[in-house]
Amino acid sequence: MSALGALLAPRSTTGSTGLRSRILLGIVCAGYSVGAAVGWGSPQVAVFMGDFGLAAAALIAAVSCFLYARAVRGRLRPAWLLFSLSSAMAACGNAVWGWYEVILGVPVPTPSLADLFFLCFAPPAIVGLLVLAKRPVTRAGWVCLALDAWLIGGSLLTLAWSLALAHTTHVAGFQDASVAPAALSLAYPLLDIVLVSMVLALHFRRAGVNRSAVNTAIAALALTVLSDAVFTSPLLRSTYHSGQLLDAGWFAGSLLLAYAPWGARRGARTSARPGPPRVIASRPIAGSLAALTPYLAAAVCTLGILYNVVDGRRVDRVVIFTGCTVVLALVVRQGIMLLDNISLTQELAQKESHFRSLVQGSSDVIMIAAPNGTLRYVSPAAAGVYGREAEGLVGSELSSIIHPEDLGRFVHEVRRFLAAPPHEEPTTRIECRFRSGTGDWLNVESTVNRHQGGLLLNSRDVTERVRLQAQLQHNAEHDPLTDLPNRALFTARVRQALGGRRSGDPGTAVLFIDLDGFKAVNDTIGHQAGDELLVQAGRRLQDSVRAGDTAARLGGDEFAALIMGDGTRDQGAREYQVHEIADRLRLTLSQPYRIGPSEVRVAASIGVAFAEPAISPTDLMRNADLAMYRAKAGGKDRVELYAPQMQADVVRRSELATRLRTALREGEFALLHQPVVHLASGSVAAVAAQARWRSAQGILFTPAEFLRVSGDDDRTAELGRWLLEEAVAQAADRARAGHPVAVSVRLSAARLLDAASPPGSIEALLTRHGLPSGALMVEVADSDPRVSFDALEQRLVALRRLGVRIALDGFGSGFAAINALRRLPIDVLKLDRNLVEGVVESARLHKITSGLLRIACDLGLQSVADGVDVPEQVLALRAMGCTHGQGMAFSGPLDEYRLRRALVRGEFPVPGIPSPRPVMAGGSIPLLTGSHAETPVPPT
C-alpha cells in the first residue's frame, strides 16, 4: 500500500485495541520493576509483592492460556494447555513461598513444597515447545532435532558446570551430607539448561501457524529462564530475598505469556481481512544462524573445557563426558547433513534433467529476457517455430525480432504488467508478430511471467489461427459468389460513413441496383449461367466504382454501391455527378455478357438516395431501395433519384393493401357487369364481369386501382376465385330468371395454371350452378412470358370441350399474339383499349386496327373492341368489320338490378342504325364447335 493509501485507509479497531493492550502491559511491567527497584517502600510490601504478586501474575498466565486453549481448535491447542499447567505450577510455588514468608513469617525450608512446584514448571513448558515446533517429516529430521537440542544443552551444561555447577555441588555436599540439597541445587540449573536448549533449538523450527503467538511465548519463557539462571548463580542465591528487582523478570515473563495467545489472535484477525496478501520477507540471517547453531554449541563446549585447562584445575569427568557426547553428536549431525545434501543434490539433478527435457521437448518457445531486454536463454524449439537457431537468438535484443508496428503496444503492455502487483496479475498474454528465419512475420502468442527482474516468455506460433480467423471474418462479411461485401458489411460501411468525419457531408449517396431480366436468364439457360452472370456483373461494378467507394451484393440480383462525398456543398452539382456515375454503371451493367457460347443481355434499374442530416443507415438504404423500385415501375433500365413522395406512396399503398385484405374478409366487394353490344344491331351479346371495391368512405375502386397496390399474390388469387364464383352464380340466376346471356370473366394465364387451385375447379363450378354450355367466356391475357404455352394450350382445350368460350384479351398489345393465335383454341379476339382510343385520330392506329380485324375475320373469329366510349369510334370500328363493342358509348358497369332492366330492354342505340329492333338477347357470340390445337383458317 502506498504512503497516501496508508494515510487514507480507515483505522482498524482491532489494531488500536492491540496497541492499547501492549501499552498497558508495558506500563504494568514497568511499574512492577520500579517498585521492586525501590523496595516497594517497606519490607512487608516487598515480601508480599515478591511472593503473591508473582503468584498472581503466573495465575493470570495460567488462566489466559487455559481459556485460549478452550476457545480454539487445532494442532497447537495442547501446547497452550501445557503452558497453562506450567504457569499454574509457578503460581503454586510462589504461593507456597509466600505462605512461609508472609503468613507464617519463617524462612522457606530447603527442600520444600515450593521447590517441587518450581521443578514442575519446566517439563510442561518443554513439551509445549515441542508441540509448537514444526514437526519433522522424516526420522532423520527427528534425529537432527534431538541432536540439535543436545548440542545446545550439552554445550551449556559444559560451560555452566565449569563456571558454577561443580562449585555449587561441592559446597552443597560439604555443608550437608544428605543428597537432597545437592540434587536440588543441580535440578534448577539443569532444567533451565534444557528449557534454554529447547527455546534456542525451536526458535529456528517454529511452525508457520500463529507465528506471532509462538514468538511471544518463546520470548516469555526465555525471559523466565534468564531470571532463573540469574537466581541459581551462587552469588545471588545466597543473598536473594523476595521483592528484589529479579522478581520483575519473572513477573514480566508471566504477563507476556498471558498476552501471547490473545495478541496473536488479534493479529490473525487483522491479517484475515480482505486485501492484498502480505509478502513475508525471507530472513537469510536467521537461516545462517540456524545452520551455525551446532558449530556455536561446539565452540561453547570447547570454551568450557579450556576454562578448566587454563585455570590449572583438574578436568572434571562431567565436562569430559559431556564434551565428548557433544562432539559425537556434532559428527553424527554432520554425517546426516552430508547424506541429506547428497540426496538433495541427486534429486535436484533429476528435477533439472526432467525440466530440461520438458523445455527442450516442448513445442512452445521458452525465452528468458534480462531487465535490459537482452535474451539470456532461448529453448531449442525456436528452430522449428521461428526457423532460427536458439544460439543465434541468445544475446540479441528482444525488440529486434518484434514487428515495428507491434513494438509500441508490446512495450506498453510489458510496462503495465511489471507495474501491477504480482499477486493481482501473476501473468499476462501478449500477441504480436515475430520475425522468422525466412524474413516473414509470424503471429506469436506469448504468456509472460516475471523472472528475476526480467521476463519469462512462453511463445507459440498462432499464424494459422490468425489466418483462419481472418478468413472466417472475410467469409462472414463477403458474398461467397462474387466476393463483394455482403449486406452486413455494406450496412456497417454506410453507418461508418454517416457517423465518421464526413457525417455532415450531403454528397454521400447509396445506389441500389437490380438486374432486369435476370430471372429469365435463370429460366432459359440455367442457374449456373445465372451465377456466372452475377460474377461478371459484380466484377464490372467493382471496377466501375472509385477507390474509396464500396460495391456490394445484397442478395439475388440486387447490388449496391456507397459513393462517398467529396465535400462539395453544391447539392445540384453533386446530384448531377452521382446521377452521371449511376448512369455510367447502368450502361456498364447493361452491356452484353458472354456466358459460354451464348451472349446474354440484361438491363439495370438503379435507385439513388443521398444522405441527409441525422439520417440512419437503415433509412438511407430504404430510400435507395424505394428509388430503385420506382425505376423498375417506370419502365426499367433507368436511374431514379429518391424523393420524399416515394415514401408517402409506399405508405399509401401499404395502407390500401391492408384495407384490401380486410375487405376480402368482410365481403366489401361488389360485382358489376358491363354489356357487350353487337355493333350491327345494338343487341346485348354478353356481359363482362368486373369487381368493384366499395371502401368505408363509399368510394368504388376499379380493379386497375386496387390490384395495382395490393402487392399480395395470395389476395389477388383469392379475389380471382371470388370473381369467378360470383359471376357464374349470378349468370345462373339470370338464366333461370329468363335472361340467358353469356358472361365473360378475365382470368390470367397464371391463374388458369395455378397449382394451388384444385384440378377441375371451373368444371365443378359450372356443374354446381348448372350453367348451360356457351354461357361462360374466359378472357385470357397473353402478357405473361413465364407461362408455358404447352400447359396453357392443354388447359384451354379442356375448358373448350365443356363449352367454355375462349377470348384472347388485349389483342394488339402483346408480343406473343401471333403465337397465341397459332396454338391456342381462340373464339374471340378482344382488341386492346389503347388501339381503340386512337382509332379515329391516328391514321397509323387506324391501319393497325383494320389489319387486326381483317385477321380475325379471315380466321372466322368474333371481335370485341374494349373501351368504345364515343360514337365516332363505333362508326369507325363497324366500318372496319368489328362485330362487338364494349364501353361508355353504350353503357358503363351496371349492378344486378340495372343490368336486368337493360336485358329486358334488349338493345342499346347504335350510331348509324335508323330504328332499333326489340331483341331479348340476340346477336350473341356464336359457339365454334370442335376441339383443335390450331385454329383452322377457312379458304378464301
Side-chain angles (χ1 to χ4, degrees):
M1 185 182 296
S2 63
L4 180 61
L7 291 175
L8 297 179
R11 299 291 183 177
S12 173
T13 305
T14 304
S16 61
T17 304
L19 180 60
R20 289 196 298 268
S21 300
R22 288 191 291 270
I23 293 175
L24 180 61
L25 177 65
I27 292 174
V28 172
C29 293
Y32 190 93
S33 301
V34 172
V38 299
W40 296 103
S42 67
Q44 292 79 10
V45 176
V47 172
F48 182 85
M49 294 300 297
D51 294 336
F52 290 108
L54 294 181
L59 182 61
I60 291 174
V63 173
S64 174
C65 293
F66 179 76
L67 293 178
Y68 180 74
R70 288 190 59 185
V72 298
R73 296 289 186 271
R75 187 178 68 86
L76 302 184
R77 182 185 182 188
W80 297 106
L81 289 175
L82 290 171
F83 290 153
S84 175
L85 177 61
S86 177
S87 298
M89 294 296 102
C92 292
N94 284 295
V96 172
W97 197 287
W99 173 265
Y100 281 106
E101 287 189 337
V102 177
I103 304 301
L104 300 180
V106 298
V108 181
T110 303
S112 66
L113 187 60
D115 293 324
L116 178 62
F117 284 122
F118 285 143
L119 291 177
C120 291
F121 167 79
I126 293 172
V127 179
L129 289 174
L130 285 174
V131 175
L132 287 179
K134 183 171 61 177
R135 298 179 181 178
V137 295
T138 61
R139 292 182 179 179
W142 286 105
V143 173
C144 289
L145 177 61
L147 292 175
D148 289 343
W150 173 244
L151 285 172
I152 298 173
S155 60
L156 293 178
L157 177 61
T158 303
L159 183 61
W161 189 273
S162 300
L163 294 177
L165 293 183
H167 176 71
T168 302
T169 305
H170 177 71
V171 172
F174 180 77
Q175 293 178 352
D176 194 347
S178 63
V179 181
L184 185 61
S185 62
L186 291 177
Y188 281 111
L190 290 178
L191 288 175
D192 288 338
I193 289 174
V194 174
L195 190 57
V196 170
S197 301
M198 294 305 302
V199 168
L200 293 177
L202 297 178
H203 175 69
F204 306 108
R205 292 176 175 269
R206 57 187 181 275
V209 183
N210 292 342
R211 184 178 295 272
S212 177
V214 174
N215 289 337
T216 308
I218 290 176
L221 294 176
L223 184 58
T224 302
V225 170
L226 179 61
S227 300
D228 287 344
V230 175
F231 171 75
T232 55
S233 63
L235 297 177
L236 188 62
R237 179 70 179 271
S238 60
T239 61
Y240 172 78
H241 62 83
S242 298
Q244 291 184 346
L245 186 61
L246 181 61
D247 294 343
W250 286 314
F251 184 83
S254 296
L255 291 186
L256 192 61
L257 184 61
Y259 169 78
W262 304 104
R265 193 175 188 182
R266 284 191 292 269
R269 288 198 299 266
T270 304
S271 62
R273 288 198 303 269
R278 298 175 57 189
V279 180
I280 300 176
S282 61
R283 297 183 297 172
I285 297 178
S288 301
L289 291 176
L292 293 175
T293 299
Y295 302 99
L296 294 176
V300 172
C301 183
T302 305
L303 289 176
I305 297 174
L306 290 177
Y307 175 79
N308 286 289
V309 175
V310 173
D311 197 22
R313 301 176 183 177
R314 182 177 59 87
V315 180
D316 194 284
R317 286 176 295 178
V318 175
V319 174
I320 294 176
F321 177 78
T322 306
C324 291
T325 55
V326 168
V327 173
L328 180 61
L330 180 61
V331 172
V332 175
R333 179 73 169 80
Q334 292 304 108
I336 293 175
M337 290 294 296
L338 179 61
L339 294 177
D340 194 16
N341 289 338
I342 293 175
S343 176
L344 289 177
T345 303
Q346 293 176 351
E347 184 179 358
L348 180 62
Q350 292 177 357
K351 290 184 177 180
E352 182 180 1
S353 176
H354 174 70
F355 285 108
R356 184 178 297 275
S357 299
L358 290 178
V359 170
Q360 293 180 351
S362 174
S363 59
D364 295 346
V365 180
I366 299 175
M367 300 184 295
I368 299 177
N372 60 359
T374 304
L375 293 176
R376 291 179 177 175
Y377 173 79
V378 180
S379 65
V385 177
Y386 300 153
R388 304 176 67 174
E389 295 297 330
E391 293 78 4
L393 290 174
V394 174
S396 62
E397 296 289 336
L398 178 61
S399 59
S400 63
I401 62 174
I402 300 178
H403 196 283
E405 297 179 0
D406 300 339
L407 184 58
R409 178 170 52 85
F410 183 88
V411 172
H412 174 75
E413 178 63 20
V414 168
R415 288 177 177 174
R416 185 203 60 78
F417 169 67
L418 294 178
H423 61 273
E424 292 183 0
E425 189 174 5
T427 62
T428 188
R429 184 169 296 178
I430 305 176
E431 187 171 328
C432 59
R433 286 169 289 180
F434 280 8
R435 186 188 300 275
S436 67
T438 60
D440 298 329
W441 294 102
L442 303 176
N443 293 92
V444 176
E445 183 185 63
S446 301
T447 302
V448 184
N449 295 269
R450 300 172 180 84
H451 179 74
Q452 298 179 358
L455 298 175
L456 174 64
L457 297 94
N458 190 351
S459 306
R460 62 195 61 86
D461 183 12
V462 294
T463 304
E464 290 302 322
R465 188 195 71 186
V466 172
R467 289 177 181 172
L468 178 60
Q469 289 176 347
Q471 184 62 39
L472 292 176
Q473 183 70 21
H474 180 85
N475 293 343
E477 295 179 344
H478 288 76
D479 176 57
L481 181 63
T482 62
D483 202 38
L484 291 176
N486 59 11
R487 182 182 293 272
L489 181 57
F490 183 77
T491 304
R493 295 276 179 87
V494 173
R495 183 178 294 106
Q496 182 180 2
L498 296 180
R501 59 185 180 87
R502 295 183 177 180
S503 57
D505 189 353
T508 301
V510 170
L511 279 61
F512 265 45
I513 306 164
D514 186 82
L515 300 182
D516 303 323
F518 173 74
K519 189 176 187 306
V521 175
N522 277 340
D523 294 339
T524 54
I525 60 178
H527 289 274
Q528 185 174 358
D531 291 344
E532 178 62 26
L533 188 148
L534 291 176
V535 171
Q536 294 185 24
R539 192 179 301 118
R540 291 184 186 182
L541 181 61
Q542 183 67 43
D543 295 340
S544 299
V545 299
R546 300 172 304 180
D549 300 335
T550 301
R553 182 191 176 205
L554 305 182
D557 59 342
E558 291 187 357
F559 294 85
L562 173 63
I563 308 299
M564 300 299 296
D566 56 1
T568 302
R569 292 297 176 180
D570 188 352
Q571 186 66 18
R574 182 56 179 165
E575 289 183 2
Y576 176 79
Q577 181 183 7
V578 173
H579 192 282
E580 187 179 29
I581 294 174
D583 200 59
R584 187 172 64 251
L585 288 177
R586 181 186 62 81
L587 294 175
T588 301
L589 295 175
S590 300
Q591 295 297 320
Y593 294 85
R594 174 62 62 178
I595 310 296
S598 305
E599 189 176 81
V600 179
R601 288 180 177 269
V602 293
S605 296
I606 302 178
V608 182
F610 286 92
E612 300 174 358
I615 192 172
S616 66
T618 303
D619 292 341
L620 181 58
M621 295 172 65
R622 180 206 61 197
N623 295 345
D625 196 21
L626 291 176
M628 184 266 291
Y629 277 106
R630 177 60 64 90
K632 294 179 71 70
K636 302 180 180 180
D637 193 18
R638 54 183 296 173
V639 177
E640 191 77 29
L641 297 180
Y642 170 78
Q645 183 61 32
M646 296 180 183
Q647 179 63 21
D649 293 343
V650 170
V651 173
R652 184 180 61 84
R653 287 197 299 268
S654 177
E655 293 176 352
L656 193 56
T658 302
R659 289 160 53 194
L660 175 62
R661 289 191 291 271
T662 305
L664 283 171
R665 292 195 304 268
E666 301 296 333
E668 296 180 3
F669 280 91
L671 186 64
L672 303 182
H673 295 83
Q674 188 173 27
V676 178
V677 179
H678 192 271
L679 296 182
S681 62
S683 59
V684 179
V687 291
Q690 298 177 5
R692 291 294 186 273
W693 173 31
R694 185 181 301 277
S695 67
Q697 293 78 16
I699 303 174
L700 287 175
F701 290 98
T702 64
E705 292 173 319
F706 60 73
L707 292 180
R708 182 175 64 249
V709 303
S710 67
D712 192 338
D713 293 338
D714 294 337
R715 302 287 82 78
T716 303
E718 184 178 351
L719 180 61
R721 288 193 294 270
W722 175 86
L723 176 63
L724 179 61
E725 293 179 2
E726 193 70 16
V728 171
Q730 292 189 15
D733 291 341
R734 285 193 296 271
R736 287 190 291 269
H739 307 289
V741 63
V743 61
S744 65
V745 180
R746 189 179 188 276
L747 296 176
S748 64
R751 171 76 180 88
L752 286 170
L753 300 178
D754 188 5
S757 300
S761 57
I762 297 179
E763 295 83 344
L765 186 64
L766 296 175
T767 303
R768 184 169 67 251
H769 292 284
L771 198 65
S773 177
L776 175 64
M777 182 171 64
V778 175
E779 301 177 5
V780 182
D782 67 328
S783 59
D784 193 348
R786 298 172 297 179
V787 176
S788 170
F789 261 96
D790 294 336
L792 182 60
E793 180 183 4
Q794 295 176 5
R795 178 61 174 155
L796 293 180
V797 168
L799 292 176
R800 201 165 183 274
R801 288 173 179 169
L802 296 174
V804 178
R805 302 178 185 182
I806 308 299
L808 183 60
D809 188 29
F811 186 69
S813 61
F815 296 100
I818 302 300
N819 194 26
L821 285 176
R822 184 179 65 87
R823 301 186 56 181
L824 300 181
I826 304 299
D827 298 315
V828 177
L829 291 180
K830 193 169 185 178
L831 295 179
D832 187 73
R833 175 181 291 271
N834 294 326
L835 292 176
V836 177
E837 288 178 351
V839 72
V840 177
E841 295 83 358
S842 174
R844 184 181 182 87
L845 288 179
H846 189 280
K847 292 181 180 180
I848 294 174
T849 306
S850 177
L852 294 176
L853 291 174
R854 190 178 304 112
I855 293 175
C857 181
D858 293 342
L859 294 176
L861 304 178
Q862 298 292 326
S863 57
V864 177
D866 188 14
V868 182
D869 296 333
V870 295
E872 292 80 5
Q873 294 174 347
V874 177
L875 296 175
L877 291 170
R878 186 172 57 190
M880 286 185 286
C882 183
T883 61
H884 296 79
Q886 171 186 343
M888 297 302 296
F890 309 105
S891 173
L894 305 174
D895 57 19
E896 186 64 21
Y897 174 75
R898 291 184 176 87
L899 176 62
R900 293 198 179 193
R901 288 185 59 185
L903 293 178
V904 170
R905 189 172 64 247
E907 62 181 17
F908 290 93
V910 178
I913 300 179
S915 58
R917 292 166 297 176
V919 179
M920 290 297 296
S924 62
I925 300 175
L927 174 64
L928 301 179
T929 59
S931 175
H932 54 277
E934 184 175 350
T935 304
V937 180
T940 57

